[in-house]
């Protein structure tokens, strides 16, 4: 089931787009979708917000809206000009939503300085993205960092460099190290399945090896190195 921008109120706050979902209209759409799909079929409500550009937005969901998604077992999909986010109903069901609270999905592009020390010399940082799911009640915020099932995140990587050498890393802030995240690029979007939120880094690999510089396999070897399939030897050879 697809709903559009008319089911939201969109404002700007400090260069961040705030998307407040209209509760009653979307709950009606959720219930109508479930009735049409039947009891057992998988169903998703899709917010088509293609006029929202960039990686700085918050989408606000009321407690009653979350409860309706869980009750009707309907997944939530958010599609903007540069992102696609799929949050399964099973993830929402794990969150204790109290009356008067709201759930916010927040995404923001942050400075490359955030990962300067953690980034390898063999990589070129293209974007640093902070993704969070936050439960808000009055002025109190609870960040939900891990999930028992996966949230799918798709990010536009058009123009960021050689797509064959792009990879995504999770910033482990406890150890200040980057950890490789398995993903794939389809239609200029990197597709990730995440069971925790934090800062993620899109990195273009510059890693190469002395013995493939003029070899026919150079592009393939460097692509595998970018994806952490191979590492090469300590002497700089493949």
């Amino acid at each position: 089931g697809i709903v559009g921008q008319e089911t939201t109120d969109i404002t700007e706050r400090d260069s961040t787009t705030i998307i407040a979902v209209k509760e009653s209209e979307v709950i009606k759409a959720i219930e109508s979708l479930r009735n049409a799909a039947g009891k057992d079929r998988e169903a998703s409500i899709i917010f088509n917000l293609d006029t929202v550009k960039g990686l700085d937005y918050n989408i606000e969901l009321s407690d009653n809206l979350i409860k309706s998604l869980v009750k009707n077992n309907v997944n939530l999909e958010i599609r903007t000009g540069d992102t696609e986010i799929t949050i399964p109903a099973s993830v929402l069901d794990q969150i204790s939503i109290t009356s008067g609270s709201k759930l916010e999905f927040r995404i923001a592009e942050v400075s490359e300085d955030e990962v300067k020390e953690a980034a390898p010399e063999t990589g070129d940082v293209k974007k640093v993205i902070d993704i969070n799911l936050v439960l808000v009640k009055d002025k109190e915020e609870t960040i939900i960092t891990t999930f028992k099932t996966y949230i799918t995140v798709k990010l536009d990587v058009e123009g960021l460099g050689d797509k064959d050498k792009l990879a995504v890393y999770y910033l482990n802030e406890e150890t200040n190290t980057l950890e490789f995240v398995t993903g794939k690029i389809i239609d200029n979007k990197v597709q990730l399945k995440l069971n925790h939120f934090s800062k993620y880094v899109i990195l273009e690999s510059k890693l190469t090896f002395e013995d493939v510089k003029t070899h026919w396999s150079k592009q393939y070897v460097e692509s595998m190195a970018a994806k952490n399939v191979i590492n090469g030897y300590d002497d700089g050879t493949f």
Side-chain angles (χ1 to χ4, degrees), residues 14-226:
D14 299 329
S15 73
T16 298
T17 302
I18 308 299
I19 306 162
V21 176
K22 296 177 183 178
E23 177 184 290
S24 59
E25 293 181 31
V26 177
I27 287 176
K28 286 179 184 177
I30 292 167
E31 292 173 347
S32 175
L33 173 64
R34 177 45 68 199
N35 288 335
K39 186 174 70 172
D40 299 321
R41 288 180 64 192
E42 184 174 4
S44 296
I45 194 81
I46 299 167
F47 286 89
N48 187 8
L49 307 171
D50 54 2
T51 60
V52 176
K53 304 294 184 181
L55 293 173
D56 294 279
Y57 67 83
N58 295 356
I59 185 161
E60 301 176 349
L61 308 159
S62 71
D63 56 336
N64 290 328
L65 180 55
I66 297 298
K67 289 172 184 175
S68 178
L69 287 165
V70 171
K71 176 185 174 183
N72 290 284
N73 193 26
V74 171
N75 304 325
L76 172 67
E77 291 189 31
I78 305 160
R79 296 181 183 177
T80 70
D82 299 298
T83 65
E84 292 182 29
I85 316 296
T86 303
I87 306 176
S90 56
V91 169
L92 299 173
D93 194 25
Q94 298 165 24
I95 302 169
S96 179
I97 305 289
T98 57
S99 180
S101 61
K102 62 181 177 179
L103 189 67
E104 294 187 9
F105 174 83
R106 300 175 182 174
I107 184 167
E109 187 174 352
V110 298
S111 170
E112 294 177 11
D113 291 341
E114 299 268 354
V115 299
K116 201 171 186 178
E117 294 181 6
E121 294 181 0
T122 53
D124 185 9
V125 176
K126 295 297 183 178
K127 279 186 185 294
V128 183
I129 302 150
D130 196 7
I131 309 176
N132 288 290
L133 203 59
V134 184
L135 189 63
V136 181
K137 177 70 181 289
D138 299 322
K139 293 184 178 181
E140 185 177 338
E141 296 188 352
T142 304
I143 298 175
I144 301 157
T145 55
T146 58
F147 327 107
K148 292 180 181 177
T149 49
Y150 288 93
I151 289 177
T152 303
V153 176
K154 299 179 183 179
L155 304 171
D156 190 4
V157 295
E158 179 70 20
L160 289 190
D162 186 343
K163 286 180 284 188
D164 219 24
K165 297 181 182 178
L166 292 178
V168 178
Y169 292 79
Y170 153 67
L171 176 63
N172 186 326
E173 297 190 67
E174 290 185 5
T175 61
N176 196 33
T177 56
L178 295 183
E179 299 177 6
F180 178 67
V181 178
T182 301
K184 55 188 174 181
I185 295 176
I186 299 176
D187 296 331
N188 293 321
K189 282 188 170 66
V190 62
Q191 303 187 8
L192 308 168
K193 288 186 177 294
L194 307 177
N195 62 358
H196 58 81
F197 279 164
S198 182
K199 293 183 179 71
Y200 288 88
V201 182
I202 300 176
L203 198 79
E204 183 180 16
S205 173
K206 301 295 184 184
L207 185 59
T208 189
F209 306 95
E210 290 294 329
D211 55 348
V212 299
K213 284 186 175 180
T214 59
H215 196 264
W216 65 265
S217 66
K218 180 177 185 291
Q219 180 72 11
Y220 303 102
V221 170
E222 290 175 352
S223 175
M224 287 193 292

